[in-house]
Amino acid sequence: MGAILLAFALAVVAWIFVVADLLRRHRPAWHWYVTGYPVTACRVLFTWRKVAMLNDLAVSSRPPRGLLGDVVVKGDPLRPVAPRISFPRATRMGLTVIVRLHAGQTPATYMKAADALVHAWKVHAVRVTSPERGLVLLTATASDPLERPGLATAPTALLSALIGALESGGAWVMDLRMVPHWLIAGATRSGKSTLLARLITQLAPQPVALVGIDCKGGMELGLFADRLSALTTCRREAVAVLTALVVDMQERMSTCRTAGVRSIWELPDKLRPVPVVVIVDELAELYLSDGRRESKAEAEQCSTLLLRLAQLGAALGLHLVVAGQRVGSDLGPGVTALRAQLGGRVCHRVNDAGTAEMTLGDLNKDAAAVAQSINAEEQGVAVCTGPDGGWSRARSHLTTTEEAMATARKHSAMTPELPAIDRALAGLKGDDK
């Protein structure tokens, strides 16, 4: 009888392990709710006081000095009290804890202790935010959701592109109607080119004009020439195209002023000009100069024209997506001025801290630090900003060059004509002759 019970118990345990493994592989969220969350919640509750004391989160109500006879004695305060926390609340792939701050505490102290919380709770990451004064929200992520992100979905909208998945499990969407201009930074093989391919793939079926500026001879954006209304492969051509776009922008202003509206989206459909998305690959090529007078003049022109488009183009249907391996103030003051107009930011793995700071530092120092922690194995992983001003780790869906080229060919008939740009490029060719 004992042997039968033992065998039955072993069978039950084996069945539990099999079911747990199936849940972990096919239903990770269910596996987390059933097995991971209860254990982690207990770990949070049992370790909180000790972690708070070791990381200067606990505060004593007694002063750090006392009177012994006629002598004032200084020392560490006794009986420190850990801040009160809420019961850990489960999320899809982690948990959240609300901490009520002691008087005089700030969220910065908890940000410094985030790594200690990660190790104490045995989770992947802990994000520290402050939803309201006097409170800190600790968001723990059990595992890295970007190791094998699922294919997120999002409603299709004009000038909106589903890029990939966010760390939260939601869809990573670049909506140019909400955030009109973007800056994308990333070293070689970090996923920057894959993101641009994904963006073009998403915008190709839409009634928008795509203009490519690729001063590396068109090696990157030239692959999608079938869907581009214009492609420039050198800075001289870029100056001509950008000049034509600024002229077109002024015509759009005149149309809106005559109609008494503030943007092209308020115009009737028959009067509304086609939206234009200018995609710049390798921004540094537009700003660097070899010292010649002509080269300096072209660089200054590019800087001025890009800045004008960024400042005035949003309401007129002119959008910039600017990408580069290196984005730094050493490229000139024009880059810093342009960055201020690019509200959307994406930072992949970069080769220097300056580029991460230039991309994200003016918005959030923590985001820049997280971007610098992305390693070479995490291709496609980036830190991106959202329309609400926050930031998140994200990963773009893998879009191969072949897929992007096939999509460009498939929708080549939708490529709008931009006569002003065609005339500008034709004029350059005439001058060369």
Side-chain angles (χ1 to χ4, degrees), residues 34-283:
V34 173
T35 62
Y37 165 68
V39 174
T40 306
C42 291
R43 194 177 289 133
V44 170
L45 295 174
F46 290 139
T47 63
W48 173 245
R49 186 174 184 277
K50 186 174 183 179
V51 172
M53 293 179 64
L54 292 175
N55 291 275
D56 298 327
L57 303 179
V59 177
S60 175
S61 58
R62 299 185 179 184
R65 62 184 66 190
L67 187 63
L68 183 61
D70 295 329
V71 179
V72 176
V73 180
K74 296 182 179 181
D76 295 331
L78 301 177
R79 297 182 181 178
V81 179
R84 287 189 298 165
I85 62 172
S86 67
F87 190 85
R89 181 180 179 181
T91 60
R92 187 174 181 272
M93 290 301 292
L95 53 82
T96 59
V97 177
I98 296 178
V99 183
R100 189 169 296 277
L101 300 179
H102 286 304
Q105 285 189 318
T106 64
T109 309
Y110 290 80
M111 292 177 183
K112 294 179 181 178
D115 285 342
L117 297 175
V118 167
H119 292 284
W121 298 349
K122 294 179 170 54
V123 293
H124 169 69
V126 173
R127 177 82 63 83
V128 180
T129 56
S130 180
E132 61 180 90
R133 293 180 179 179
L135 298 180
V136 159
L137 176 65
L138 304 178
T139 304
T141 306
S143 59
D144 189 356
L146 301 181
E147 287 184 357
R148 288 179 294 178
L151 292 176
T153 58
T156 302
L158 182 63
L159 289 171
S160 178
L162 173 61
I163 300 299
L166 298 172
E167 188 176 38
S168 62
W172 177 15
V173 176
M174 288 177 61
D175 189 343
L176 299 179
R177 292 285 299 274
M178 295 186 66
V179 184
H181 310 304
W182 287 78
L183 172 62
I184 302 171
T188 303
R189 302 188 65 82
S190 65
K192 174 171 56 67
S193 297
T194 300
L195 189 154
L196 292 179
R198 176 72 184 181
L199 176 64
I200 293 173
T201 300
Q202 290 287 294
L203 294 178
Q206 302 182 26
V208 301
L210 303 177
V211 175
I213 298 179
D214 182 0
C215 291
K216 295 187 296 184
M219 292 190 301
E220 296 287 347
L221 299 182
L223 301 173
F224 320 116
D226 290 335
R227 183 56 182 84
L228 299 180
S229 295
L231 173 65
T232 70
T233 58
C234 67
R235 189 163 57 189
R236 183 164 172 256
E237 293 178 349
V239 170
V241 167
L242 292 173
T243 301
L245 286 173
V246 168
V247 172
D248 179 57
M249 180 176 67
Q250 293 170 342
E251 293 176 355
R252 295 179 183 218
M253 289 180 187
S254 177
T255 301
C256 290
R257 184 173 62 252
T258 302
V261 298
R262 295 182 176 179
S263 76
I264 66 167
W265 307 110
E266 300 176 27
L267 292 170
D269 292 344
K270 61 180 181 180
L271 295 179
R272 183 182 304 137
V274 62
V276 179
V277 180
V278 182
I279 302 173
V280 180
D281 191 21
E282 204 47 66
L283 176 66

Side-chain angles (χ1 to χ4, degrees), residues 225-389:
D226 290 335
R227 183 56 182 84
L228 299 180
S229 295
L231 173 65
T232 70
T233 58
C234 67
R235 189 163 57 189
R236 183 164 172 256
E237 293 178 349
V239 170
V241 167
L242 292 173
T243 301
L245 286 173
V246 168
V247 172
D248 179 57
M249 180 176 67
Q250 293 170 342
E251 293 176 355
R252 295 179 183 218
M253 289 180 187
S254 177
T255 301
C256 290
R257 184 173 62 252
T258 302
V261 298
R262 295 182 176 179
S263 76
I264 66 167
W265 307 110
E266 300 176 27
L267 292 170
D269 292 344
K270 61 180 181 180
L271 295 179
R272 183 182 304 137
V274 62
V276 179
V277 180
V278 182
I279 302 173
V280 180
D281 191 21
E282 204 47 66
L283 176 66
E285 291 297 320
L286 297 181
Y287 284 83
L288 292 176
S289 171
D290 59 9
R292 292 182 299 111
R293 185 174 60 182
E294 296 81 0
S295 179
K296 290 181 179 180
E298 287 178 354
E300 290 176 0
Q301 284 179 293
C302 285
S303 176
T304 301
L305 294 169
L306 283 173
L307 185 58
R308 291 198 65 189
L309 289 174
Q311 287 178 330
L312 305 174
L316 302 171
L318 298 171
H319 306 273
L320 290 179
V321 178
V322 177
Q325 296 182 40
R326 174 81 176 92
V327 181
S329 57
D330 57 313
L331 297 179
V335 172
T336 305
L338 178 63
R339 180 195 63 165
Q341 301 297 326
L342 306 179
R345 310 287 177 83
V346 179
C347 187
H348 295 84
R349 175 181 57 83
V350 292
N351 293 325
D352 61 290
T355 296
E357 288 289 337
M358 188 73 170
T359 307
L360 299 168
D362 61 323
L363 301 180
N364 194 297
K365 295 292 184 182
D366 294 331
V370 172
Q372 293 176 60
S373 69
I374 300 173
N375 58 54
E377 286 70 35
E378 297 178 296
Q379 292 187 6
V381 174
V383 174
C384 66
T385 58
D388 59 351

Side-chain angles (χ1 to χ4, degrees), residues 10-26:
L10 291 175
V12 170
V13 171
W15 181 81
I16 291 175
F17 274 101
V18 170
V19 171
D21 183 63
L22 289 174
L23 285 176
R24 181 179 58 81
R25 286 186 294 161
H26 300 288

